[in-house]
Each structure stands twice: as structure tokens, then as C-alpha cells.
Amino acid sequence: QAKDGLTGVSICRKCIAPKPARTHHCSICNRCVLKMDHHCQAAWLNNCVGHYNHRYFFSFCLFMTMGCIYCSISGWEMFRDAYAAIETYYQTPPPTFSFRQRAFHKSVVYLWVLCSSVALALGALTLWHAALITRGETSIERHINKKERQRLQKKGKVFRNPYSYGSWDNWKVFLGVDVPRHWLTRVLLPSPHPPHGTGLSWDLPPCVSQQRAPLLAI
């Protein structure tokens, strides 16, 4: 919101204000979002994923996927027994299952199918974002960089992402790991630490040892 002294790469045509690098206008939120990745319309978020909550979004996807995989694996035997019991409902003579037992069988089948489906769908989304983080990109930048890479390739030039510091350093920047002990205090344990930078400018993070190649390399 502070516009004074802000170096804008461009001007947002809708906000009529300087738009810093990696900032994009969200038509749903009707505002510019720092380092915008995407607008998540899912019931659990219903908000933009950007500079200040991207790490929380990825952590949620990762832990939810791991939880669903755990439930699917540990509940496989119960699912198989419940499914076999449901197949006997229409036999002659019918089995003597009570209403509570039938409800339990159907609930176990529903639980396993739901957890397995979420694990597959959310697991694919988690892998996609893990690949983006490894390359130092957001979902929006992925499409922009792809077009820019193709355009420069026709001119005999090579595109270099100026916000990528290498696969390992990109993860350190994303997770906020400045010293080795942060892998425990900031990654394995819950931590409310803010992300690197303000989102208005992109200086070299302290955890990165050296500057990478510039935007364009002939």
C-alpha cells in the first residue's frame, strides 16, 4: 500500500499504481498481490497464494497428502474386509448384519476412497509446486518464463531466471533456512517466521552464497 519511494517495474492498469517485480493483479481479490502464485478457490483457503503465505500453502498440501497416504495404507485391510462384507449384502440368504455394522462398512469404504482420491489429486498438486519451488518460479511465472524462453531461443539467446539461485538454494530461500539449525526449528517444527524480503524488492538472500547468472545470457 505504501507507494512512496517504490521502484515499480510497471504500472498496474487496474490499480493505477507501481507494480513491483513478481507482482500480479488478482481479478478476484481486485488488488495486486506480491509474488502471486495463484488464487486458490478451494474451500480450505479461498484466498490468493503469494509472498506471505506460499510456504504455508505448500506445507498444508504436503502434510495433507502425507496424512491421506497414511490413512489409505493403514486402512487397506479394513477397506478390503468392509468391501467384501458389502458384496455379501445381496446373497441368499442375506447375512445378519445390523444397521450399525452396515453403516460401519460403508463408512470405511467411503473413507478409504476419499483419502486415496485426495492423496492422488493433492499429491499431484504438491509435486507440481515442488518442481516450481526447485526452479525458483511461481505458477504465473512458469507460463511467462516459458514464452520468454521460446522468444529468446529464436534470437539465439538463452533465458536465465533472475530469481533462481539453484535448486538447493531455492528451497533454502523458500523455507527460510539461514543456518543449519533452521531445518529443525523452522522446517520440522511449526514456525511463524516471515519469508525473505518484503516482496517489493528482491535482494540476494543471506542464505545464498553467490549471485546467479543475469536475466539474459548471449
PDB file of all heavy atoms in Angstrom, residues 84 87-95:
ATOM      1  N   ALA A  84     -15.617 -56.506   1.072  1.00  0.00           N
ATOM      2  CA  ALA A  84     -16.054 -57.903   0.929  1.00  0.00           C
ATOM      3  C   ALA A  84     -17.377 -58.137   1.651  1.00  0.00           C
ATOM      4  O   ALA A  84     -18.232 -58.894   1.178  1.00  0.00           O
ATOM      5  CB  ALA A  84     -14.979 -58.842   1.476  1.00  0.00           C
ATOM      6  N   GLU A  87     -20.307 -56.787  -0.438  1.00  0.00           N
ATOM      7  CA  GLU A  87     -20.644 -57.650  -1.573  1.00  0.00           C
ATOM      8  C   GLU A  87     -21.542 -58.822  -1.165  1.00  0.00           C
ATOM      9  O   GLU A  87     -22.199 -59.417  -2.030  1.00  0.00           O
ATOM     10  CB  GLU A  87     -19.365 -58.185  -2.212  1.00  0.00           C
ATOM     11  CG  GLU A  87     -18.601 -57.128  -2.998  1.00  0.00           C
ATOM     12  CD  GLU A  87     -17.433 -57.730  -3.748  1.00  0.00           C
ATOM     13  OE1 GLU A  87     -16.901 -58.762  -3.289  1.00  0.00           O
ATOM     14  OE2 GLU A  87     -17.044 -57.182  -4.797  1.00  0.00           O
ATOM     15  N   THR A  88     -21.593 -59.127   0.107  1.00  0.00           N
ATOM     16  CA  THR A  88     -22.441 -60.235   0.579  1.00  0.00           C
ATOM     17  C   THR A  88     -23.834 -59.778   0.992  1.00  0.00           C
ATOM     18  O   THR A  88     -24.635 -60.609   1.439  1.00  0.00           O
ATOM     19  CB  THR A  88     -21.768 -60.933   1.768  1.00  0.00           C
ATOM     20  OG1 THR A  88     -21.667 -60.014   2.881  1.00  0.00           O
ATOM     21  CG2 THR A  88     -20.364 -61.409   1.404  1.00  0.00           C
ATOM     22  N   TYR A  89     -24.124 -58.483   0.869  1.00  0.00           N
ATOM     23  CA  TYR A  89     -25.426 -57.970   1.315  1.00  0.00           C
ATOM     24  C   TYR A  89     -26.583 -58.607   0.534  1.00  0.00           C
ATOM     25  O   TYR A  89     -27.681 -58.786   1.068  1.00  0.00           O
ATOM     26  CB  TYR A  89     -25.484 -56.448   1.153  1.00  0.00           C
ATOM     27  CG  TYR A  89     -24.721 -55.671   2.203  1.00  0.00           C
ATOM     28  CD1 TYR A  89     -24.668 -54.281   2.166  1.00  0.00           C
ATOM     29  CD2 TYR A  89     -24.048 -56.322   3.233  1.00  0.00           C
ATOM     30  CE1 TYR A  89     -23.978 -53.558   3.118  1.00  0.00           C
ATOM     31  CE2 TYR A  89     -23.349 -55.606   4.188  1.00  0.00           C
ATOM     32  CZ  TYR A  89     -23.313 -54.224   4.123  1.00  0.00           C
ATOM     33  OH  TYR A  89     -22.631 -53.514   5.067  1.00  0.00           O
ATOM     34  N   TYR A  90     -26.358 -58.896  -0.756  1.00  0.00           N
ATOM     35  CA  TYR A  90     -27.450 -59.344  -1.616  1.00  0.00           C
ATOM     36  C   TYR A  90     -27.392 -60.853  -1.877  1.00  0.00           C
ATOM     37  O   TYR A  90     -27.993 -61.335  -2.839  1.00  0.00           O
ATOM     38  CB  TYR A  90     -27.407 -58.574  -2.933  1.00  0.00           C
ATOM     39  CG  TYR A  90     -27.457 -57.083  -2.729  1.00  0.00           C
ATOM     40  CD1 TYR A  90     -26.279 -56.322  -2.810  1.00  0.00           C
ATOM     41  CD2 TYR A  90     -28.650 -56.433  -2.440  1.00  0.00           C
ATOM     42  CE1 TYR A  90     -26.312 -54.959  -2.608  1.00  0.00           C
ATOM     43  CE2 TYR A  90     -28.680 -55.059  -2.235  1.00  0.00           C
ATOM     44  CZ  TYR A  90     -27.519 -54.328  -2.322  1.00  0.00           C
ATOM     45  OH  TYR A  90     -27.545 -52.974  -2.111  1.00  0.00           O
ATOM     46  N   GLN A  91     -26.681 -61.557  -1.056  1.00  0.00           N
ATOM     47  CA  GLN A  91     -26.656 -63.004  -1.186  1.00  0.00           C
ATOM     48  C   GLN A  91     -27.920 -63.633  -0.593  1.00  0.00           C
ATOM     49  O   GLN A  91     -28.671 -62.994   0.129  1.00  0.00           O
ATOM     50  CB  GLN A  91     -25.413 -63.574  -0.467  1.00  0.00           C
ATOM     51  CG  GLN A  91     -24.095 -63.233  -1.140  1.00  0.00           C
ATOM     52  CD  GLN A  91     -22.906 -63.849  -0.410  1.00  0.00           C
ATOM     53  OE1 GLN A  91     -23.076 -64.455   0.660  1.00  0.00           O
ATOM     54  NE2 GLN A  91     -21.715 -63.698  -0.993  1.00  0.00           N
ATOM     55  N   THR A  92     -28.136 -64.859  -0.941  1.00  0.00           N
ATOM     56  CA  THR A  92     -29.285 -65.606  -0.404  1.00  0.00           C
ATOM     57  C   THR A  92     -28.771 -66.849   0.324  1.00  0.00           C
ATOM     58  O   THR A  92     -28.103 -67.692  -0.288  1.00  0.00           O
ATOM     59  CB  THR A  92     -30.246 -66.033  -1.531  1.00  0.00           C
ATOM     60  OG1 THR A  92     -30.653 -64.868  -2.245  1.00  0.00           O
ATOM     61  CG2 THR A  92     -31.459 -66.736  -0.965  1.00  0.00           C
ATOM     62  N   PRO A  93     -29.072 -66.938   1.620  1.00  0.00           N
ATOM     63  CA  PRO A  93     -29.788 -65.974   2.461  1.00  0.00           C
ATOM     64  C   PRO A  93     -28.915 -64.774   2.794  1.00  0.00           C
ATOM     65  O   PRO A  93     -27.687 -64.898   2.816  1.00  0.00           O
ATOM     66  CB  PRO A  93     -30.098 -66.790   3.720  1.00  0.00           C
ATOM     67  CG  PRO A  93     -28.985 -67.772   3.799  1.00  0.00           C
ATOM     68  CD  PRO A  93     -28.647 -68.139   2.381  1.00  0.00           C
ATOM     69  N   PRO A  94     -29.521 -63.603   3.065  1.00  0.00           N
ATOM     70  CA  PRO A  94     -28.734 -62.399   3.362  1.00  0.00           C
ATOM     71  C   PRO A  94     -28.017 -62.555   4.699  1.00  0.00           C
ATOM     72  O   PRO A  94     -28.504 -63.221   5.611  1.00  0.00           O
ATOM     73  CB  PRO A  94     -29.799 -61.300   3.412  1.00  0.00           C
ATOM     74  CG  PRO A  94     -31.066 -62.005   3.753  1.00  0.00           C
ATOM     75  CD  PRO A  94     -30.968 -63.350   3.107  1.00  0.00           C
ATOM     76  N   PRO A  95     -26.838 -61.939   4.815  1.00  0.00           N
ATOM     77  CA  PRO A  95     -26.102 -62.014   6.082  1.00  0.00           C
ATOM     78  C   PRO A  95     -26.819 -61.238   7.183  1.00  0.00           C
ATOM     79  O   PRO A  95     -27.590 -60.305   6.917  1.00  0.00           O
ATOM     80  CB  PRO A  95     -24.750 -61.378   5.737  1.00  0.00           C
ATOM     81  CG  PRO A  95     -25.052 -60.478   4.585  1.00  0.00           C
ATOM     82  CD  PRO A  95     -26.142 -61.145   3.799  1.00  0.00           C
TER      83      PRO A  95
END
